[in-house]
Amino acid sequence: MTSKYFTPETRHRRLRKTAALRDLVRETHLTPNDLILPLFVDEDITEKQAISSMPNVFRHPEKDLPQFLKECRSSGVNNFILFGVSYNKDDEGRDSMKKGGLLHRMISSAKDTLPDSNIIADVCFCEYTDHGHCGPIAEDGDVDNDATIENIAQQSIIAADAGADIIAPSGMMDGQVASIRAGLDENGFEQIPVLAYAAKFASTYYGPFRDAAGCALGKYDHVAKDRKSYQMDPANAHESLREAEQDLLEGADMLMVKPGLAYLDILHRVKQAFQVPTFAYNVSGEYAMLKAAHANGWLDYETTMMETLLSFKRAGADGILTYSAVDAARILNDN
Ligand SMILES: [Zn+2]
């Protein structure tokens, strides 16, 4: 029927009428190549261990890493970022700066298992320091920036030596990308790209990850109780552009924004401003919220998750780090 009050000339609904039409005019596409799976490798367990706040995410024993990676690969995931759960912690995280340490072992194992996949080394110290901060502590109780960037270059050389395809520094220290780039170049790794966590915010959405990776703060009285002196203030958008620009000037090849959902405006601005490969981290708290809503029957996990990942791409992400990578790859490959 036609309304006696108004007849629209423009009818947007024409192109939404059938599934085939919707498929034809869709602007944004998600593919398995867009997915990067973060995973936790625990050097002190023999059976995989559930993480209570992240249903269906596990800490994996080192010995099971090859098998788990093969399973993920056969589901269609081809990009992995590894996080160590260390029991050899000290004030600087020295275990991660030496051959034979957990970082070196897990990257070697992953690369040997999947030589044709992208094995990304997250380089930072919070998983390897006894105080849980992202670098050694200065006398004032805060992280010592310049000591950290010297160490993180060493850690990056170790990761590259183990076979890492991409080095991803996440500590938000000033000058860390330049220090890493110089260290890699001096050691014959000039072809290894750097994916900089350019805009990483001091977010409470990381809570479940901190449990998973065993790097909560608060163990020592003289040490800062949060990461607000190095991670960014969630209120700041212009500053994220300055951070991203600086990382590119220092030699970063790719950029990351973290967290994801509450920071899609930052992702969009960074992509628009620099047009370099830009990634978003769909963090543990975002995963936990969705799983909790699903468990209560309030939201459907799969459809909401796929809509979420698509929204990252629409905002400008070239890829997404997500704990849902295997689920998403399976869904994409089934369709
Ligand atoms: Zn860190």
Side-chain angles (χ1 to χ4, degrees), residues 26-37:
R26 185 162 299 124
E27 298 175 29
T28 308
H29 298 271
L30 184 70
T31 80
N33 288 329
D34 301 321
L35 305 168
I36 302 167
L37 178 69

Side-chain angles (χ1 to χ4, degrees), residues 124-126 134 170-171 200 210 227:
C124 196
F125 290 96
C126 41
C134 299
S170 60
K200 181 176 178 180
R210 297 286 162 206
R227 295 173 214 272

Side-chain angles (χ1 to χ4, degrees), residues 7 17-18 26 40 44 76 81 98-99 106 110 117 131 137 160 162 178 184 193 200 224 235 247 271 297 305:
T7 304
K17 190 78 180 162
T18 67
R26 185 162 299 124
F40 301 102
D44 198 43
I81 184 163
K98 64 181 192 199
K99 287 188 185 180
M106 68 183 185
S117 296
H131 45 71
I137 304 298
L184 291 174
K200 181 176 178 180
D247 281 353
K271 182 65 186 182
M305 177 267 290

